[in-house]
Amino acid sequence: MPRGPALGTPALSDPLVRERHRILHAVQDRLEDVARTAVAVMRTEIPSYALQDERFFDDVRDQVLTHYRMQLAALADDRNIAPEDLVFSRAAAMRRARAGFALEDWISAFRVGRQVLWDALLDCAGTSAEAQQAALSLVTPLMRYVDYASTHAAQAYVEYQQHVVADADRERRDLLDQLLAGAAPTRGPLLAAAQAYGIGPHSPMMAVVAVCVGDTRTGDPTSAEHGYAASASLSVAGPWAGRTLVVVRHDEVVAVPVVRTGMDAEDICAHFEAVQGRLAREGTGLAMGISTVAQGARELPRAYEEARAALDLVPGGGGVAALPRLSPFDYLALRADDLARQLVDPRVRALLAEDRRRGDTLAATIRAFAEADLNLRLAADRLRVHHNTAHYRLRRIEERTGRNPRRIADLLELLVALAIRDGAGEGEDGQ
């Protein structure tokens, strides 16, 4: 903080200097009353102050009096204000920040104090032209003092909040590290932190791992700003009570939601999918993997590895891969490598690629036929097409691929090829 502002006397005539000193001494004589008025106005105008007890207002009154005395003394003695003069104010700012008061409330208190002091100066000045001119000469130095003192206090607020945020980040990281080691904390600050998130040794939990894939509006590579935006959004509770442990860790964001009473894994998946979609609309592209449920801290390392593995299933542009929503068949198909794709008959690949361009009617028929347990009429009803149309589609599939969907082995091969195609996100060229 640089040296304080000059509050001294401007170039005034001797009569104006004398009048100015008269006003300052008159206010000094009634300073206790002026301070009580300022506190009463703060109590009325600042809602968070109105809720406090008399001990709090004794502290506020001491602060107001100290500020007033410093201003009047500096003006009377024609001297500047130095940072060390405001140590008392910095300590008070820390107390207010620690108690949870908003910075705007602290600044509002400065505004009220300034206005009440100015009203007192005008009242003591009187109505003569000389007195009014002397009073006006006090406006600029008083404004400089309030600006300097409030800036000094705001810096203390910011430093305290940065300290709190850093401590909270460190505590969350330490808690996550212990959970990912397979143990829930049993004592100390980490136990209290775990309890704040509803995490106990045997709490059912899931792991969510998200990585930023870029700005969805510009296509630019992602930045730390997107990571912290994602962290803030993921930490907000969904349709359940309580907070979610979220940590920005290396190049990923890790969340550990607790599956609370009355919830299931699908509730967790739906919530994080909604968050991913909202962030994408706002410009933050995320790829997100969601694990199955871990029954307690001992299983959380497994859940974390599952979530990281699920990330491999997300397309390059982002999205959500939620393992609770996948069958073993889906998972194996999504994990298929280039060799598995090459093993699909080229005729099948060509048909599915062409079908995708034409609206996926044959793919829908294959799925519906399998889900109807090879009952063609039931499949046709579900597709809302005539039985003959469904029959024609099956015959066309057999003619083009050499696979008869009515044979279990052939139908399974078609379903695998279809799952591999969808999991790979193949384009129209089938590549």
Side-chain angles (χ1 to χ4, degrees):
M1 177 70 70
R3 301 294 296 177
L7 304 184
T9 305
L12 299 174
S13 65
D14 288 342
L16 285 181
V17 171
R18 288 194 296 271
E19 191 65 19
R20 179 173 163 136
H21 279 281
R22 180 191 66 80
I23 296 170
L24 293 174
H25 286 299
V27 173
Q28 181 68 52
D29 290 341
R30 52 191 284 191
L31 206 56
E32 294 278 351
D33 290 337
V34 177
R36 277 193 290 271
T37 300
V39 172
V41 176
M42 292 175 193
R43 197 168 195 162
T44 301
E45 294 189 2
I46 305 175
S48 63
Y49 277 34
L51 302 174
Q52 306 307 310
D53 58 18
E54 289 307 316
R55 183 177 178 181
F56 170 80
F57 286 108
D58 287 342
D59 184 31
V60 173
R61 192 176 299 108
D62 288 344
Q63 290 295 308
V64 172
L65 272 171
T66 306
H67 277 292
Y68 284 171
R69 286 168 180 155
M70 181 170 295
Q71 292 176 78
L72 295 180
L75 290 168
D77 297 340
D78 190 19
R79 68 178 180 84
N80 299 340
I81 296 295
E84 52 267 26
D85 295 326
L86 294 172
V87 170
F88 75 96
S89 180
R90 184 179 182 86
M94 287 288 192
R95 291 198 297 277
R96 301 292 182 267
R98 192 178 298 113
F101 288 92
L103 176 57
E104 55 264 32
D105 291 342
W106 179 248
I107 300 302
S108 293
F110 271 97
R111 176 187 56 78
V112 169
R114 178 199 64 202
Q115 186 60 52
V116 171
L117 180 60
W118 175 242
D119 290 342
L121 287 166
L122 287 180
D123 186 56
C124 290
T127 58
S128 72
E130 193 172 66
Q132 291 289 306
Q133 188 175 351
L136 287 175
S137 73
L138 296 169
V139 173
T140 297
L142 287 178
M143 291 294 293
R144 286 174 179 168
Y145 176 87
V146 172
D147 287 346
Y148 183 72
S150 60
T151 300
H152 200 82
Q155 183 185 53
Y157 252 82
V158 170
E159 289 175 358
Y160 176 80
Q161 290 168 348
Q162 288 174 338
H163 173 74
V164 169
V165 169
D167 277 356
D169 283 346
R170 189 179 307 109
E171 184 177 73
R172 284 194 298 270
R173 287 195 300 271
D174 290 346
L175 174 57
L176 179 65
D177 287 344
Q178 183 161 343
L179 291 171
L180 293 183
T186 57
R187 64 177 185 276
L190 289 187
L191 174 59
Q195 291 173 339
Y197 294 109
I199 296 173
H202 307 294
S203 300
M205 295 171 278
M206 297 168 69
V208 180
V209 177
V211 295
C212 296
V213 295
D215 192 311
T216 57
R217 293 167 297 190
T218 66
D220 293 337
T222 188
S223 65
E225 178 183 348
H226 288 289
Y228 283 100
S231 173
S233 296
L234 296 179
S235 65
V236 177
W240 57 86
R243 297 181 298 159
T244 298
L245 173 63
V246 179
V247 176
V248 179
R249 188 171 183 264
H250 307 305
D251 59 347
E252 64 187 19
V253 181
V254 181
V256 182
V258 175
V259 185
R260 302 175 191 271
T261 303
M263 297 169 52
D264 58 23
E266 175 54 29
D267 295 321
I268 301 286
C269 295
H271 169 64
F272 284 98
E273 184 176 54
V275 172
Q276 192 276 341
R278 177 169 60 81
L279 285 171
R281 291 191 295 273
E282 294 173 356
T284 300
L286 286 184
M288 188 181 295
I290 304 177
S291 75
T292 61
V293 177
Q295 297 300 329
R298 182 174 297 180
E299 294 186 6
L300 196 61
R302 182 263 303 163
Y304 172 71
E305 293 303 325
E306 287 182 359
R308 286 184 58 85
L311 276 177
D312 294 337
L313 309 180
V314 180
V320 178
L323 295 186
R325 292 176 170 176
L326 300 179
S327 68
F329 175 85
D330 294 329
Y331 179 77
L332 290 172
L334 288 171
R335 296 285 292 180
D337 56 16
D338 289 340
L339 177 57
R341 283 186 280 275
Q342 288 300 318
L343 291 175
V344 176
D345 190 309
R347 293 176 295 172
V348 175
R349 287 208 308 271
L351 175 69
L352 294 181
E354 178 185 326
D355 185 51
R356 170 170 278 177
R357 294 192 294 271
R358 294 175 178 271
D360 263 355
T361 56
L362 298 183
T365 304
I366 292 170
R367 291 195 182 97
F369 189 52
E371 291 168 0
D373 296 327
L374 281 62
N375 184 324
L376 188 58
R377 286 191 178 276
L378 178 58
D381 290 342
R382 291 177 177 176
L383 291 169
R384 297 184 179 180
V385 299
H386 192 273
H387 171 263
N388 290 339
T389 300
H391 179 75
Y392 166 76
R393 290 179 180 176
L394 293 185
R395 188 171 68 250
R396 185 159 174 253
I397 291 169
E398 183 177 4
E399 290 172 353
R400 291 285 304 277
T401 66
R403 270 67 177 177
N404 181 358
R406 291 181 175 81
R407 294 182 64 246
I408 296 296
D410 286 357
L411 178 60
L412 182 59
E413 186 176 345
L414 290 169
L415 289 170
V416 168
L418 186 56
I420 289 176
R421 182 204 71 171
D422 292 345
E426 291 174 358
E428 293 184 359
D429 60 358
Q431 299 302 313

